[in-house]
């Protein structure tokens, strides 16, 4: 009887290896060979799952979105009200003491790569729209009396703050420590509490 492959287990192994390579070496270091070495398999196995580097790259971008969306879902679900959910969702999105520094670095790499790659740019826009929709829904729940324009401006300001902190902290973690990020976020959220 031929040996059955556990396709999902292989994909999980390769996803984990891809993430580790990205976290350590950034996008320039993401190669089929590097992923194979990290996963302890052949490049042939990597190419079976991801026939091109572009396929691997797009998978890695989706993996980043999936990781952050799951964490945001959990943060929102564990909150008692809309304001607590907004604090939790935005708080987990910045590189606070949660240990998401690698994700921030990977996100910045993808953002830079998206400037020259239409497929990555579209995935970035889709993920950003999803995050904006979540934050906008929570802002509107916190301030039901606000107009649509007020909700939109506040939502985009909060997302810009969080994403800006991610970019700056990824490049200069000592200049943008967790305490500064927490204080900036708390100040921005104060009018909603």
């Amino acid at each position: 009887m031929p040996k059955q492959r556990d396709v999902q287990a292989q994909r999980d192994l390769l996803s984990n290896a891809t993430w580790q390579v990205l976290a350590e070496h950034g996008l320039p270091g993401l190669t089929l060979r590097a992923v194979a070495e990290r996963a302890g398999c052949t490049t042939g196995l990597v190419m079976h799952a991801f026939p091109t580097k572009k396929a691997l790259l797009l998978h890695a971008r989706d993996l980043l979105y999936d990781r952050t969306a799951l964490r945001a879902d959990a943060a929102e679900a564990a909150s008692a009200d809309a304001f607590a959910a907004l604090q939790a969702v935005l708080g987990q999105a910045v590189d606070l003491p949660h240990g998401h520094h690698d994700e921030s670095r990977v996100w910045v790499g993808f953002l830079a790569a998206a400037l020259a790659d239409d497929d990555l740019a579209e995935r970035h826009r889709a993920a950003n729209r999803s995050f904006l929709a979540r934050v906008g829904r929570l802002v509107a729940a916190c301030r039901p009396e606000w107009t649509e324009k007020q909700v939109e401006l506040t939502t985009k300001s909060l997302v810009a703050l969080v994403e800006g902190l991610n970019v700056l902290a990824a490049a200069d973690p000592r200049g943008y420590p967790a305490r500064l990020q927490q204080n900036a976020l708390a100040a921005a959220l104060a009018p909603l509490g």
Side-chain angles (χ1 to χ4, degrees):
M1 178 181 241
K3 196 174 177 183
Q4 295 256 337
R5 287 187 302 133
D6 184 342
V7 176
Q8 188 57 48
Q10 286 179 348
R11 194 164 179 86
D12 291 346
L13 173 72
L14 296 175
S15 293
N16 187 44
T18 299
W19 188 258
Q20 290 174 8
V21 169
L22 280 170
E24 291 174 19
H25 306 291
L27 287 180
L30 183 64
T31 64
L32 298 172
R33 175 174 285 163
V35 171
E37 287 175 8
R38 180 53 60 114
C41 66
T42 65
T43 55
L45 180 62
V46 177
M47 291 183 73
H48 182 71
F50 307 106
T52 64
K53 180 176 178 177
K54 176 92 175 223
L56 182 64
L57 193 59
L58 293 174
H59 169 72
R61 179 59 183 99
D62 292 343
L63 182 62
L64 175 62
Y65 173 76
D66 292 345
R67 288 170 66 122
T68 57
L70 281 172
R71 208 170 46 247
D73 288 346
E76 189 173 347
S79 300
D81 59 33
F83 183 68
L86 184 61
Q87 286 178 304
V89 166
L90 292 172
Q92 64 79 38
V94 294
D95 190 24
L96 298 177
H98 306 335
H100 306 311
H101 185 69
D102 287 345
E103 283 182 6
S104 296
R105 288 181 45 229
V106 170
W107 183 86
V108 170
F110 275 119
L111 179 60
L115 298 175
D117 185 303
D118 290 339
D119 293 328
L120 282 175
E122 183 50 41
R123 277 190 164 79
H124 175 77
R125 286 189 293 269
N128 184 256
R129 286 181 196 124
S130 177
F131 190 50
L132 283 167
R134 180 190 301 268
V135 173
R137 178 176 44 75
L138 293 171
V139 168
C142 289
R143 289 288 178 251
E145 73 278 9
W146 282 6
T147 66
E148 218 174 280
K149 285 210 177 279
Q150 287 173 303
V151 169
E152 180 184 15
L153 176 61
T154 300
T155 297
K156 288 185 176 176
S157 296
L158 288 169
V159 170
L161 172 66
V162 168
E163 302 298 13
L165 287 170
N166 276 328
V167 170
L168 294 168
D172 183 10
R174 287 178 34 175
Y176 293 87
R179 176 57 63 201
L180 181 135
Q181 293 180 55
Q182 289 168 333
N183 290 343
L185 188 54
L189 288 171
L192 294 162

